[in-house]
Amino acid sequence: MNNNNFLRKIYLSLKNSNIKNGDTLILGISGGYDSTALLLGLANIKNLLKLKIIPVHLNHMLRGSESDRDEKFAKYIANRAGFKFISKSIDVKKKINNTNSVEEISRNIRYEFLQKVSEKYKANGILTGHTQNDQAETVLMNIIRGSGLKGIS
C-alpha cells in the first residue's frame, strides 16, 4: 500500500465514522510500527478534518530500558508531528494476579488510562493502531471470554 492509499484509508475511515470536523481524538501510541504509522498518517490529514489529536502512551515498565525507549520515541514522534503528548508509567508487574494474563492486565490498564484521558479532554473517540493480525487476536480473545456478538471486536 502506498502512502496516498494509506492516508486515504485513514481519511475515509474517519469520515465514515461519527467523527466530525473539529473533534478531539485520543491516539494510543506504543512506539511500535502500527501506532507510529497511524500517528504520522493523522498528522498528514488532521487539517482536512480540523482534528485535534492527542497521542497517549502508557509505559507498562515490563521491559526495563526498552519500555523507556519506546516512551521516549513515542514522545519524540508526537512532538515532531506537532502534537501534545501525554504519558504515564505503571508497574504492571505489581498488578499481576492468578486470574488474568500479563497481556490482559496490561491491555485493561492501558484502555482505562486512555478512557480517563479521553474524559479529561472531552475527546470524541479513541484510536489505536492495529494490524489485521492484532484485530484477529482481539476477536479470538473476546470469543474465548464468552462475548456476545456486540463484544466480539
Side-chain angles (χ1 to χ4, degrees), residues 7-99:
L7 296 176
R8 182 173 170 75
K9 199 172 222 181
I10 294 171
Y11 175 79
L12 290 175
S13 293
L14 292 170
K15 265 309 242 191
N16 293 330
S17 70
N18 62 353
I19 304 300
K20 299 174 200 65
N21 283 2
D23 279 354
T24 297
L25 300 174
I26 302 302
L27 170 63
I29 179 167
S30 65
Y33 298 121
D34 303 337
S35 59
T36 300
L38 183 55
L39 180 140
L40 295 173
L42 289 167
N44 277 283
I45 65 165
K46 69 179 181 187
N47 291 333
L48 293 173
L49 296 171
K50 298 172 181 46
L51 297 173
K52 179 180 179 186
I53 308 293
I54 303 174
V56 175
H57 176 85
L58 182 67
N59 182 341
H60 299 94
M61 301 172 68
L62 290 170
R63 296 175 295 116
S65 62
E66 279 185 59
S67 294
D68 296 337
R69 272 197 306 271
D70 287 347
E71 182 177 3
K72 287 176 186 166
F73 176 73
K75 180 177 183 176
Y76 171 78
I77 288 292
N79 290 161
R80 285 281 310 238
F83 297 126
K84 172 186 180 125
F85 177 77
I86 296 171
S87 67
K88 181 177 182 176
S89 294
I90 294 179
D91 190 349
V92 171
K93 291 176 192 163
K94 292 181 179 177
K95 308 274 186 185
I96 294 175
N97 58 43
N98 294 329
T99 317

Side-chain angles (χ1 to χ4, degrees), residues 1 4 16 18 22 24 67 101 104 107 129 138:
M1 178 184 307
N4 288 336
N16 293 330
N18 62 353
T24 297
S67 294
S101 68
E104 188 172 355
R107 186 181 319 106
T138 300

Side-chain angles (χ1 to χ4, degrees), residues 107 111 135-153:
R107 186 181 319 106
Y111 287 152
Q135 290 175 347
E137 179 183 310
T138 300
V139 169
L140 284 173
M141 185 89 99
N142 287 335
I143 290 171
I144 290 166
R145 285 196 319 222
S147 289
L149 288 176
K150 290 184 180 177
I152 285 180
S153 61

